[in-house]
Amino acid sequence: MDVAADNILSFPETEWSLLNRLAREVGSQCRAVNGHGLEVDFLQIAGGAALKLWIDRTAYAEIASLGRTYRVVLGANLPTCISLETSDFEEASGFIRDYVLATGFRLDAGDRA
């Protein structure tokens, strides 16, 4: 019996840590595709009524009230809005990566408006 293993406590991840992990993963994926010094700073976590990971002016990700469900919204406040709700981290990060790469969004922090 491993006594050390019996004493390990797992702490739940906070919304901020889940969004931060998502930002790091998407930045890493975009760097892998484009391969030229992209900054992760284009993704900004902002507070308010709910924490949001802002991708651009109309797209964001948040953690749904169920705790580990990612909600990604593209086109918030526009006539057409696309959203994804998933508990699969890889699906959420891939969805955001594909959006960023498809829109040709300039990923370095100096190019954000």
Side-chain angles (χ1 to χ4, degrees):
M1 179 174 171
D2 186 3
V3 176
D6 292 339
N7 294 326
I8 295 175
L9 297 175
S10 72
F11 291 96
E13 289 187 279
T14 64
E15 287 182 19
W16 187 90
S17 66
L18 291 169
L19 292 175
N20 187 48
R21 179 175 166 227
L22 187 60
R24 286 193 327 264
E25 179 64 20
V26 169
S28 175
Q29 290 176 2
C30 289
R31 276 191 294 277
V33 170
N34 284 344
H36 52 73
L38 302 177
E39 298 293 330
V40 179
D41 293 344
F42 74 99
L43 298 164
Q44 298 287 321
I45 298 175
L51 282 177
K52 289 186 167 101
L53 172 63
W54 286 96
I55 303 159
D56 62 23
R57 292 180 184 175
T58 65
Y60 65 87
E62 64 184 354
I63 306 300
S65 60
L66 300 175
R68 290 196 62 105
T69 301
Y70 296 91
R71 178 181 300 129
V72 182
V73 178
L74 309 177
N77 303 320
L78 294 177
T80 302
C81 178
I82 299 170
S83 65
L84 167 74
E85 286 196 25
T86 182
S87 59
D88 185 322
F89 176 81
E90 298 300 324
E91 184 177 19
S93 64
F95 188 72
I96 295 169
R97 179 207 58 227
D98 291 348
Y99 168 75
V100 169
L101 296 173
T103 59
F105 188 72
R106 301 272 317 208
L107 299 179
D108 50 358
D111 292 332
R112 272 195 346 265

